[in-house]
Amino acid sequence: MLTGKEDLLQALVEAYIMEKGTKEFYALAASKSGTTAKKSFEDLAVWENRHMVYIQSLYQSLLDDRELMEFKEFSSKVSSPVTEGGMPIKDLEKRIEKFSVQNEKDALSLAINIEAKAYNFYKGLAAKALDDQTKVIFEEMMAQETKHMEEITAMKKRLSSH
């Protein structure tokens, strides 16, 4: 039976997959980076995990009868070939291989680029949203990406002052 929530549910699934992709990319970047860059990428992966938890809670709140184990199974099995801005992970992996991201400044520059693309991606989705609930979700994700960009910018300023 249709509930009218399908568009929002599908939007949440898509957002979850992209957040998972970004988290996995940041974890991969951490494993291939120098010591200072590694810490930044690890922190960014934690941020993306928080987004995943947020999206999961929204999804489950819409489906009262959805079992937590079903979502955990979905999360572990779903592939996530793209990051938040729709950027293919393979392209970003090549960038890490091609350009040595060995210092924190390089890591943060790459991260702010990803977060900016994510912001623009969610902005486009909010503009195309078919209902107000879906639009609010994407606007909240835009706000989260803005916070990430502000944090990354603050990190870069702290680096510059040392």
Side-chain angles (χ1 to χ4, degrees):
M1 183 171 124
L2 295 177
T3 63
K5 296 180 182 177
E6 288 76 17
D7 291 330
L8 177 55
L9 292 175
Q10 188 58 40
L12 290 172
V13 167
E14 295 299 322
Y16 185 90
I17 290 169
M18 289 187 299
E19 296 294 335
K20 182 179 181 192
T22 304
K23 178 187 146 197
E24 290 173 358
F25 168 71
Y26 284 150
L28 175 69
S31 73
K32 295 184 176 202
S33 297
T35 307
T36 55
K38 180 178 182 164
K39 172 77 170 101
S40 294
F41 280 127
E42 287 171 343
D43 289 346
L44 291 166
V46 168
W47 286 358
E48 299 309 326
N49 192 63
R50 287 186 197 133
H51 279 184
M52 290 168 60
V53 169
Y54 170 72
I55 292 167
Q56 177 183 346
S57 68
L58 288 172
Y59 185 91
Q60 289 181 297
S61 72
L62 291 172
L63 292 176
D64 297 331
D65 61 348
R66 180 90 175 170
E67 293 294 324
L68 180 59
M69 291 309 294
E70 289 178 26
F71 198 92
K72 285 184 179 179
E73 183 177 345
F74 160 77
S75 178
S76 67
K77 290 182 179 179
V78 69
S79 67
S80 44
V82 295
T83 62
E84 294 169 312
M87 299 163 61
I89 290 178
K90 288 185 183 209
D91 291 353
L92 291 171
E93 288 172 356
K94 288 177 191 168
R95 186 170 172 180
I96 286 180
E97 297 295 332
K98 188 175 178 184
F99 303 104
S100 178
V101 180
Q102 291 299 319
N103 63 58
E104 196 168 7
K105 189 175 181 180
D106 290 345
L108 295 174
S109 293
L110 180 57
I112 205 158
N113 185 26
I114 291 170
E115 300 296 333
K117 286 182 186 287
Y119 175 89
N120 288 329
F121 183 73
Y122 286 127
K123 183 178 179 181
L125 291 176
K128 295 176 193 170
L130 298 176
D131 60 69
D132 289 340
Q133 284 181 312
T134 305
K135 183 176 183 172
V136 166
I137 296 298
F138 288 130
E139 287 173 344
E140 174 58 26
M141 295 307 294
M142 288 167 55
Q144 293 295 321
E145 301 308 336
T146 298
K147 287 179 190 174
H148 286 187
M149 289 186 287
E150 289 169 355
E151 277 293 318
I152 294 166
T153 300
M155 288 178 186
K156 285 179 81 172
K157 283 182 182 174
R158 286 192 295 273
L159 267 179
S160 298
S161 66
H162 289 110

